[in-house]
């Protein structure tokens, strides 16, 4: 059939071809279709095999994707667990701490009641609630509040005054360098040494907070000076503001410790006002230590006059006069006191006008805390989104 069709075509186009060549071409052409079909079948098999390979690769890819997803999920869960593990540990410690707190709180509460059983035995719940409220307000433990309250109660305050002064003592730890124990001691000491003015713990804290702002002195230094020389300062200065001014100025001038400064003023005032060679030396400079009615003049007034007298002396005369008044061991302290007297007067004036300082500093502290909490919350939200 192929030969006839090809022969007809050749005749139609008037092409002459050698019969032998035509025969070979015809034979070759006749043999092509089976080879082509074989090749086609082979190609189909190859295509089918390729499709199988593709399906296998796709299946393998799906398996790998599934494993990758599982691995990612596993790693994510592990990361979350690692992040939450400290929280779990903290919660566990918190639970244990809560149990311990309950026992400690109850024990501290009973300690207060034992100070005055007759009037406090039926007020345990009230006292406990007040302590917890103070603890919440200032971010401390209720046990700490009760401990401070107990000290004031043992010092003879009513439970109401003890609670109020305990709040002030806790506030002192947050707006000054005082610890709770230092604040408690200075408030008790000032109340006993300076009477009604010293008993106003809030006012005392205002003064201490103010002097910390304007002088190179810590409130703890003033507290230490009150501990060693507070009675003499109260007796001879007659003013808590003058006492704070003198202590702060001498600390600023000499960098001596609060205890050393308290001891110095106790010694100096005794020498100046008691009859003897030191008082005679003071009066010999034209400085009176008594008023016309025979009462003693305040220390600050005597020192101000003494400074004027010293300013009119030569250096050698000042040193000799200081030794005569304060003694060989303490004369340098007297010289430093007179040299820093201008600051002492300034600090005393600032102390007298310090009302409201503690609350102002507390407002600043609260604002800082609020900003820190806001930053912490924002960081927590970012962490939650990342998880």
């Amino acid at each position: 059939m192929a030969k006839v069709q090809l022969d007809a075509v050749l005749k139609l186009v008037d092409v002459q071809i050698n019969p032998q060549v035509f025969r070979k071409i015809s034979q070759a052409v006749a043999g092509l279709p089976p080879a082509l079909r074989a090749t086609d079948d082979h190609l189909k098999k190859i295509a089918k095999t390729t499709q199988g390979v593709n399906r296998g690769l796709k299946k393998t890819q799906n398996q790998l994707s599934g494993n990758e997803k599982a691995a990612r999920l596993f790693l994510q869960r592990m990361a979350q667990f690692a992040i939450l593990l400290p929280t779990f540990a903290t919660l566990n410690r918190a639970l244990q701490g809560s149990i311990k707190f309950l026992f400690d709180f109850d024990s501290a509460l009973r300690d207060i009641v034992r100070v005055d059983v007759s009037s406090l035995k039926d007020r345990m719940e009230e006292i406990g609630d007040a302590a917890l409220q103070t603890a919440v307000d200032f971010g401390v433990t209720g046990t700490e509040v009760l401990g401070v309250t107990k000290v004031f109660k043992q010092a003879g305050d009513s439970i109401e005054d003890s609670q109020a002064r305990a709040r002030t003592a806790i506030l002192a730890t947050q707006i000054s360098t005082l610890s709770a124990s230092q604040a408690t001691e200075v408030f008790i000491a000032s109340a006993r040494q300076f009477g009604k003015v010293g008993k106003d713990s809030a006012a005392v804290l205002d003064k201490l907070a103010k002097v910390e702002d304007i002088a190179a002195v810590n409130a703890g230094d003033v507290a230490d000076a009150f501990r060693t020389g507070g009675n003499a300062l109260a007796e001879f200065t007659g003013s808590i503001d003058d006492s704070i001014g003198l202590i702060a100025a001498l600390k600023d001038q000499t960098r001596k410790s609060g205890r050393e400064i308290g001891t110095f003023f106790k010694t100096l005032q005794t020498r100046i006002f008691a009859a003897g060679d030191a008082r005679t030396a003071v009066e010999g400079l034209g400085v009176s230590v008594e008023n016309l009615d025979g009462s003693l003049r305040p220390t600050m007034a005597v020192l101000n006059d003494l400074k004027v007298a010293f300013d009119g002396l030569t250096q050698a005369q000042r040193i000799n006069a200081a030794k005569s008044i304060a003694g060989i061991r303490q004369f340098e302290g007297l010289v430093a006191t007179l040299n820093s007297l201008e600051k002492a007067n300034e600090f005393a004036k600032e102390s007298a006008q310090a009302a409201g300082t503690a609350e102002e500093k507390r407002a600043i502290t609260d604002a800082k805390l609020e900003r820190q909490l806001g930053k912490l919350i924002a960081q927590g939200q970012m962490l939650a989104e990342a998880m």
Side-chain angles (χ1 to χ4, degrees):
M1 176 66 73
K3 178 182 177 182
V4 175
Q5 291 175 347
L6 182 60
D7 184 44
V9 172
L10 292 172
K11 288 180 179 181
L12 180 63
V13 296
D14 193 19
V15 174
Q16 299 294 325
I17 190 167
N18 190 311
Q20 292 180 353
V21 175
F22 183 80
R23 189 182 300 113
K24 289 180 179 181
I25 293 174
S26 297
Q27 290 173 351
V29 172
L32 283 176
L36 287 173
R37 284 195 297 272
T39 300
D40 183 61
D41 291 341
H42 184 63
L43 290 174
K44 288 180 178 179
K45 288 180 180 179
I46 291 174
K48 187 175 182 180
T49 302
T50 302
Q51 291 176 354
V53 172
N54 287 335
R55 285 194 298 271
L57 289 173
K58 188 173 183 179
K59 184 177 181 181
T60 301
Q61 184 179 8
N62 290 336
Q63 290 176 345
L64 289 174
S65 297
N67 290 337
E68 183 182 1
K69 290 179 180 178
R72 286 182 178 178
L73 182 60
F74 174 75
L75 291 175
Q76 186 179 26
R77 291 292 182 265
M78 287 297 292
Q80 291 172 343
F81 180 75
I83 293 172
L84 293 175
L85 186 60
T87 302
F88 295 150
T90 301
L91 287 174
N92 182 45
R93 289 194 297 269
L95 289 173
Q96 295 177 355
S98 297
I99 296 173
K100 183 178 184 300
F101 166 76
L102 290 175
F103 282 103
D104 291 345
F105 186 81
D106 182 71
S107 177
L109 193 55
R110 293 180 183 278
D111 285 343
I112 291 179
V113 173
R114 291 190 187 99
V115 177
D116 188 2
V117 177
S118 60
S119 62
L120 300 181
K121 63 181 179 179
D122 297 326
R123 300 181 64 182
M124 287 185 62
E125 183 176 355
E126 173 192 342
I127 297 170
D129 289 344
L132 289 175
Q133 184 59 56
T134 299
V136 171
D137 290 343
F138 293 100
V140 297
T141 67
T143 305
E144 182 179 358
V145 175
L146 288 175
V148 176
T149 304
K150 183 185 73 171
V151 175
F152 284 117
K153 181 60 183 169
Q154 289 174 325
D157 289 345
S158 66
I159 188 61
E160 290 77 15
D161 286 345
S162 297
Q163 290 170 327
R165 298 179 78 187
R167 284 182 63 88
T168 306
I170 298 298
L171 173 60
T173 66
Q174 298 185 353
I175 58 93
S176 75
T177 58
L178 291 171
S179 66
S181 60
Q182 286 178 319
T184 303
E185 288 184 9
V186 75
F187 291 158
I188 292 174
S190 62
R192 291 176 175 173
Q193 294 161 353
F194 294 96
K196 183 178 180 180
V197 174
K199 192 172 178 61
D200 187 348
S201 298
V204 173
L205 180 56
D206 283 336
K207 299 174 187 300
L208 296 177
K210 186 66 174 183
V211 78
E212 279 194 332
D213 288 342
I214 61 176
V217 60
N218 291 332
D221 296 321
V222 179
D224 289 340
F226 277 179
R227 186 179 300 112
T228 55
N231 287 323
L233 283 165
E235 176 67 24
F236 296 114
T237 65
S239 166
I240 190 172
D241 296 315
D242 285 353
S243 297
I244 291 175
L246 288 168
I247 293 167
L250 190 56
K251 172 67 177 180
D252 189 79
Q253 180 80 12
T254 65
R255 311 313 301 163
K256 289 181 178 293
S257 70
R259 289 180 179 274
E260 290 175 314
I261 292 173
T263 299
F264 164 73
F265 278 116
K266 179 172 64 176
T267 302
L268 176 66
Q269 292 177 125
T270 301
R271 291 177 64 89
I272 288 176
F273 291 103
D277 293 340
R279 175 170 172 172
T280 300
V282 172
E283 293 175 335
L285 292 171
V287 177
S288 175
V289 299
E290 291 184 356
N291 293 309
L292 294 177
D293 61 3
S295 61
L296 296 177
R297 298 177 66 202
T299 299
M300 189 70 87
V302 173
L303 290 175
N304 283 325
D305 288 348
L306 195 59
K307 176 175 172 52
V308 174
F310 265 59
D311 288 343
L313 302 177
T314 66
Q315 182 177 9
Q317 290 173 328
R318 284 198 295 269
I319 292 175
N320 288 331
K323 289 180 179 179
S324 298
I325 296 169
I328 299 297
R329 294 182 179 180
Q330 299 281 13
F331 82 94
E332 291 180 343
L334 175 58
V335 173
T337 298
L338 296 178
N339 288 339
S340 63
L341 200 58
E342 184 176 348
K343 284 186 177 180
N345 283 289
E346 178 186 345
F347 295 158
K349 181 179 179 181
E350 292 288 341
S351 174
Q353 299 173 351
T357 301
E359 285 301 326
E360 290 175 1
K361 296 183 77 170
R362 183 188 179 187
I364 295 173
T365 301
D366 289 346
K368 289 181 179 179
L369 179 60
E370 186 174 353
R371 286 195 297 271
Q372 291 172 348
L373 288 175
K375 185 182 295 185
L376 181 61
I377 292 172
Q379 291 173 345
Q381 291 173 341
M382 291 175 62
L383 178 60
E385 291 175 359
M387 294 172 59

